[in-house]
Short mmCIF file of all heavy atoms in Angstrom, two decimals:
data_model
loop_
_atom_site.label_atom_id
_atom_site.label_comp_id
_atom_site.label_asym_id
_atom_site.label_seq_id
_atom_site.Cartn_x
_atom_site.Cartn_y
_atom_site.Cartn_z
N ILE A 209 4.24 -18.54 13.97
CA ILE A 209 3.38 -18.72 15.15
C ILE A 209 2.07 -19.42 14.82
O ILE A 209 1.51 -20.12 15.67
CB ILE A 209 3.09 -17.34 15.79
CG1 ILE A 209 4.41 -16.65 16.17
CG2 ILE A 209 2.20 -17.46 17.01
CD1 ILE A 209 4.25 -15.21 16.63
N TYR A 210 1.60 -19.29 13.58
CA TYR A 210 0.29 -19.80 13.21
C TYR A 210 0.10 -21.30 13.48
O TYR A 210 -1.01 -21.70 13.90
CB TYR A 210 -0.01 -19.50 11.74
CG TYR A 210 -1.43 -19.81 11.36
CD1 TYR A 210 -2.48 -19.01 11.80
CD2 TYR A 210 -1.73 -20.93 10.59
CE1 TYR A 210 -3.80 -19.31 11.47
CE2 TYR A 210 -3.04 -21.23 10.26
CZ TYR A 210 -4.07 -20.41 10.69
OH TYR A 210 -5.36 -20.72 10.37
N PRO A 211 1.11 -22.16 13.28
CA PRO A 211 0.90 -23.58 13.60
C PRO A 211 0.45 -23.81 15.04
O PRO A 211 -0.35 -24.72 15.30
CB PRO A 211 2.27 -24.21 13.33
CG PRO A 211 2.87 -23.34 12.28
CD PRO A 211 2.42 -21.95 12.64
N ALA A 212 0.93 -23.00 15.96
CA ALA A 212 0.54 -23.14 17.37
C ALA A 212 -0.93 -22.81 17.55
O ALA A 212 -1.63 -23.43 18.37
CB ALA A 212 1.40 -22.25 18.25
N VAL A 213 -1.42 -21.82 16.80
CA VAL A 213 -2.83 -21.46 16.87
C VAL A 213 -3.68 -22.58 16.32
O VAL A 213 -4.74 -22.92 16.86
CB VAL A 213 -3.09 -20.15 16.10
CG1 VAL A 213 -4.57 -19.79 16.14
CG2 VAL A 213 -2.25 -19.01 16.68
N GLU A 214 -3.23 -23.19 15.23
CA GLU A 214 -3.96 -24.33 14.66
C GLU A 214 -4.03 -25.50 15.64
O GLU A 214 -5.03 -26.20 15.73
CB GLU A 214 -3.29 -24.79 13.36
CG GLU A 214 -3.46 -23.85 12.18
CD GLU A 214 -2.93 -24.46 10.91
OE1 GLU A 214 -1.80 -24.99 10.92
OE2 GLU A 214 -3.65 -24.45 9.90
N GLN A 215 -2.94 -25.70 16.38
CA GLN A 215 -2.87 -26.83 17.31
C GLN A 215 -3.60 -26.57 18.62
O GLN A 215 -4.26 -27.47 19.16
CB GLN A 215 -1.40 -27.16 17.59
CG GLN A 215 -0.64 -27.70 16.40
CD GLN A 215 0.86 -27.70 16.65
OE1 GLN A 215 1.51 -26.66 16.72
NE2 GLN A 215 1.42 -28.89 16.80
N ALA A 216 -3.47 -25.36 19.15
CA ALA A 216 -3.98 -25.07 20.50
C ALA A 216 -5.28 -24.29 20.51
O ALA A 216 -5.90 -24.15 21.57
CB ALA A 216 -2.92 -24.31 21.30
N GLY A 217 -5.68 -23.73 19.38
CA GLY A 217 -6.89 -22.93 19.35
C GLY A 217 -6.63 -21.48 19.69
O GLY A 217 -5.48 -21.02 19.70
N THR A 218 -7.68 -20.76 19.99
CA THR A 218 -7.58 -19.30 20.15
C THR A 218 -7.33 -18.84 21.59
O THR A 218 -7.35 -17.64 21.86
CB THR A 218 -8.86 -18.63 19.63
OG1 THR A 218 -10.00 -19.16 20.32
CG2 THR A 218 -9.04 -18.88 18.14
N SER A 219 -7.11 -19.77 22.51
CA SER A 219 -6.71 -19.38 23.86
C SER A 219 -5.30 -18.80 23.79
O SER A 219 -4.37 -19.47 23.33
CB SER A 219 -6.72 -20.59 24.79
OG SER A 219 -5.99 -20.32 25.98
N LEU A 220 -5.13 -17.56 24.24
CA LEU A 220 -3.84 -16.89 24.13
C LEU A 220 -2.76 -17.65 24.90
O LEU A 220 -1.66 -17.86 24.39
CB LEU A 220 -3.94 -15.45 24.65
CG LEU A 220 -2.66 -14.63 24.62
CD1 LEU A 220 -2.05 -14.59 23.23
CD2 LEU A 220 -2.93 -13.21 25.13
N GLU A 221 -3.05 -18.08 26.12
CA GLU A 221 -2.04 -18.78 26.90
C GLU A 221 -1.70 -20.14 26.29
O GLU A 221 -0.53 -20.50 26.19
CB GLU A 221 -2.52 -18.97 28.35
CG GLU A 221 -1.48 -19.69 29.21
CD GLU A 221 -1.83 -19.69 30.70
OE1 GLU A 221 -2.42 -18.70 31.16
OE2 GLU A 221 -1.48 -20.67 31.38
N ALA A 222 -2.73 -20.87 25.87
CA ALA A 222 -2.48 -22.19 25.28
C ALA A 222 -1.68 -22.07 23.99
O ALA A 222 -0.73 -22.85 23.76
CB ALA A 222 -3.81 -22.90 25.02
N ALA A 223 -2.02 -21.11 23.15
CA ALA A 223 -1.30 -20.92 21.89
C ALA A 223 0.13 -20.46 22.15
O ALA A 223 1.07 -20.88 21.45
CB ALA A 223 -2.03 -19.91 21.01
N SER A 224 0.32 -19.62 23.15
CA SER A 224 1.67 -19.13 23.48
C SER A 224 2.56 -20.28 23.96
O SER A 224 3.73 -20.37 23.58
CB SER A 224 1.59 -18.05 24.56
OG SER A 224 0.87 -16.92 24.10
N LYS A 225 2.01 -21.15 24.78
CA LYS A 225 2.77 -22.29 25.28
C LYS A 225 3.06 -23.28 24.16
O LYS A 225 4.16 -23.84 24.07
CB LYS A 225 2.02 -22.97 26.42
CG LYS A 225 1.99 -22.15 27.70
CD LYS A 225 1.24 -22.85 28.82
CE LYS A 225 1.29 -22.05 30.11
NZ LYS A 225 0.53 -22.68 31.21
N GLN A 226 2.08 -23.50 23.28
CA GLN A 226 2.31 -24.41 22.15
C GLN A 226 3.35 -23.84 21.21
O GLN A 226 4.18 -24.59 20.65
CB GLN A 226 1.00 -24.65 21.40
CG GLN A 226 1.10 -25.67 20.28
CD GLN A 226 1.51 -27.04 20.79
OE1 GLN A 226 0.91 -27.54 21.75
NE2 GLN A 226 2.52 -27.65 20.18
N ASN A 227 3.35 -22.53 21.04
CA ASN A 227 4.35 -21.89 20.19
C ASN A 227 5.76 -22.14 20.72
O ASN A 227 6.69 -22.41 19.95
CB ASN A 227 4.08 -20.39 20.11
CG ASN A 227 5.10 -19.66 19.26
OD1 ASN A 227 5.38 -20.04 18.13
ND2 ASN A 227 5.68 -18.61 19.82
N VAL A 228 5.93 -22.06 22.04
CA VAL A 228 7.23 -22.34 22.64
C VAL A 228 7.67 -23.77 22.29
O VAL A 228 8.81 -24.00 21.86
CB VAL A 228 7.18 -22.17 24.17
CG1 VAL A 228 8.47 -22.67 24.80
CG2 VAL A 228 6.96 -20.71 24.53
N LYS A 229 6.77 -24.71 22.47
CA LYS A 229 7.11 -26.11 22.19
C LYS A 229 7.45 -26.31 20.72
O LYS A 229 8.37 -27.07 20.38
CB LYS A 229 5.94 -27.02 22.59
CG LYS A 229 5.65 -27.01 24.09
CD LYS A 229 4.42 -27.84 24.42
CE LYS A 229 4.10 -27.79 25.90
NZ LYS A 229 2.87 -28.56 26.23
N ASN A 230 6.73 -25.62 19.84
CA ASN A 230 7.01 -25.72 18.41
C ASN A 230 8.39 -25.18 18.07
O ASN A 230 9.11 -25.75 17.23
CB ASN A 230 5.95 -24.97 17.60
CG ASN A 230 4.61 -25.66 17.61
OD1 ASN A 230 4.47 -26.78 18.12
ND2 ASN A 230 3.60 -25.01 17.04
N GLN A 231 8.78 -24.08 18.70
CA GLN A 231 10.09 -23.50 18.42
C GLN A 231 11.22 -24.40 18.94
O GLN A 231 12.27 -24.52 18.31
CB GLN A 231 10.20 -22.10 19.03
CG GLN A 231 9.13 -21.12 18.59
CD GLN A 231 8.92 -21.06 17.09
OE1 GLN A 231 9.89 -21.01 16.31
NE2 GLN A 231 7.67 -21.05 16.65
N VAL A 232 10.98 -25.06 20.07
CA VAL A 232 11.96 -26.02 20.58
C VAL A 232 12.14 -27.15 19.59
O VAL A 232 13.27 -27.56 19.28
CB VAL A 232 11.53 -26.57 21.95
CG1 VAL A 232 12.38 -27.78 22.35
CG2 VAL A 232 11.65 -25.49 23.01
N SER A 233 11.03 -27.66 19.08
CA SER A 233 11.08 -28.75 18.10
C SER A 233 11.81 -28.31 16.83
O SER A 233 12.64 -29.05 16.28
CB SER A 233 9.66 -29.20 17.76
OG SER A 233 9.68 -30.22 16.79
N LEU A 234 11.52 -27.10 16.39
CA LEU A 234 12.17 -26.57 15.19
C LEU A 234 13.67 -26.44 15.39
O LEU A 234 14.46 -26.84 14.52
CB LEU A 234 11.56 -25.21 14.83
CG LEU A 234 12.21 -24.47 13.65
CD1 LEU A 234 12.17 -25.32 12.40
CD2 LEU A 234 11.50 -23.14 13.41
N LEU A 235 14.08 -25.92 16.53
CA LEU A 235 15.51 -25.77 16.81
C LEU A 235 16.21 -27.13 16.81
O LEU A 235 17.32 -27.27 16.30
CB LEU A 235 15.72 -25.09 18.16
CG LEU A 235 15.46 -23.58 18.20
CD1 LEU A 235 15.42 -23.10 19.64
CD2 LEU A 235 16.51 -22.83 17.41
N SER A 236 15.57 -28.12 17.38
CA SER A 236 16.16 -29.44 17.48
C SER A 236 16.29 -30.12 16.11
O SER A 236 17.22 -30.89 15.87
CB SER A 236 15.32 -30.33 18.41
OG SER A 236 15.20 -29.75 19.69
N LYS A 237 15.33 -29.83 15.22
CA LYS A 237 15.31 -30.50 13.93
C LYS A 237 15.99 -29.71 12.82
O LYS A 237 16.60 -30.29 11.92
CB LYS A 237 13.86 -30.79 13.53
CG LYS A 237 13.15 -31.76 14.45
CD LYS A 237 11.68 -31.91 14.08
CE LYS A 237 10.96 -32.86 15.03
NZ LYS A 237 9.51 -32.96 14.73
N ALA A 238 15.87 -28.38 12.86
CA ALA A 238 16.38 -27.55 11.77
C ALA A 238 17.87 -27.30 11.87
O ALA A 238 18.49 -26.88 10.90
CB ALA A 238 15.64 -26.22 11.72
N SER A 239 18.45 -27.52 13.05
CA SER A 239 19.87 -27.24 13.24
C SER A 239 20.66 -28.50 13.52
O SER A 239 20.62 -29.04 14.63
CB SER A 239 20.06 -26.26 14.41
OG SER A 239 21.44 -26.14 14.71
N PRO A 240 21.41 -29.00 12.55
CA PRO A 240 22.28 -30.14 12.81
C PRO A 240 23.32 -29.84 13.90
O PRO A 240 23.75 -30.75 14.61
CB PRO A 240 22.96 -30.39 11.45
CG PRO A 240 22.04 -29.78 10.45
CD PRO A 240 21.44 -28.59 11.13
N VAL A 241 23.70 -28.59 14.01
CA VAL A 241 24.67 -28.19 15.03
C VAL A 241 24.11 -28.46 16.43
O VAL A 241 24.75 -29.09 17.26
CB VAL A 241 25.04 -26.69 14.88
CG1 VAL A 241 25.95 -26.25 16.02
CG2 VAL A 241 25.71 -26.44 13.54
N LEU A 242 22.92 -27.97 16.68
CA LEU A 242 22.29 -28.16 17.99
C LEU A 242 21.93 -29.63 18.20
O LEU A 242 22.09 -30.16 19.31
CB LEU A 242 21.06 -27.28 18.12
CG LEU A 242 21.28 -25.77 18.00
CD1 LEU A 242 19.96 -25.02 18.14
CD2 LEU A 242 22.29 -25.27 19.02
N ALA A 243 21.44 -30.29 17.15
CA ALA A 243 21.05 -31.70 17.27
C ALA A 243 22.24 -32.56 17.69
O ALA A 243 22.10 -33.48 18.51
CB ALA A 243 20.46 -32.19 15.95
N LYS A 244 23.40 -32.27 17.12
CA LYS A 244 24.59 -33.04 17.45
C LYS A 244 24.99 -32.84 18.91
O LYS A 244 25.35 -33.79 19.62
CB LYS A 244 25.74 -32.66 16.53
CG LYS A 244 27.03 -33.47 16.72
CD LYS A 244 28.05 -33.11 15.65
CE LYS A 244 29.26 -34.02 15.73
NZ LYS A 244 30.04 -33.82 16.96
N LEU A 245 24.93 -31.60 19.39
CA LEU A 245 25.27 -31.31 20.77
C LEU A 245 24.30 -31.98 21.74
O LEU A 245 24.68 -32.46 22.80
CB LEU A 245 25.29 -29.79 20.99
CG LEU A 245 26.43 -29.04 20.32
CD1 LEU A 245 26.20 -27.53 20.38
CD2 LEU A 245 27.77 -29.39 20.95
N ILE A 246 23.02 -32.01 21.35
CA ILE A 246 22.02 -32.70 22.18
C ILE A 246 22.32 -34.19 22.23
O ILE A 246 22.27 -34.81 23.29
CB ILE A 246 20.61 -32.45 21.63
CG1 ILE A 246 20.23 -30.98 21.76
CG2 ILE A 246 19.59 -33.32 22.36
CD1 ILE A 246 18.96 -30.60 21.02
N GLN A 247 22.62 -34.76 21.08
CA GLN A 247 22.92 -36.20 21.01
C GLN A 247 24.13 -36.55 21.86
O GLN A 247 24.17 -37.61 22.49
CB GLN A 247 23.16 -36.60 19.55
CG GLN A 247 23.39 -38.09 19.35
CD GLN A 247 23.59 -38.45 17.90
OE1 GLN A 247 23.84 -37.59 17.05
NE2 GLN A 247 23.49 -39.72 17.57
#
C-alpha cells in the first residue's frame, strides 16, 4: 500500500483510490495469464 501513499500523499481517500489503481497495474503486469486474456 505504501507506494500509493508516496504518490497520493496522506489524504485517506486519495491514497485509497491510488492504491486501487496500483493494484490494477500490478495485476496486469505481474500475471502473464491475465495479461494474455486482456490482450
Side-chain angles (χ1 to χ4, degrees):
I209 302 172
Y210 189 73
V213 178
E214 288 188 312
Q215 293 167 291
T218 57
S219 164
L220 179 55
E221 181 171 327
S224 297
K225 290 180 177 178
Q226 185 61 50
N227 179 51
V228 171
K229 296 175 182 178
N230 289 354
Q231 304 311 316
V232 168
S233 178
L234 176 57
L235 285 168
S236 303
K237 295 175 181 177
S239 172
V241 174
L242 300 179
K244 184 173 186 293
L245 290 169
I246 294 170
Q247 184 179 16

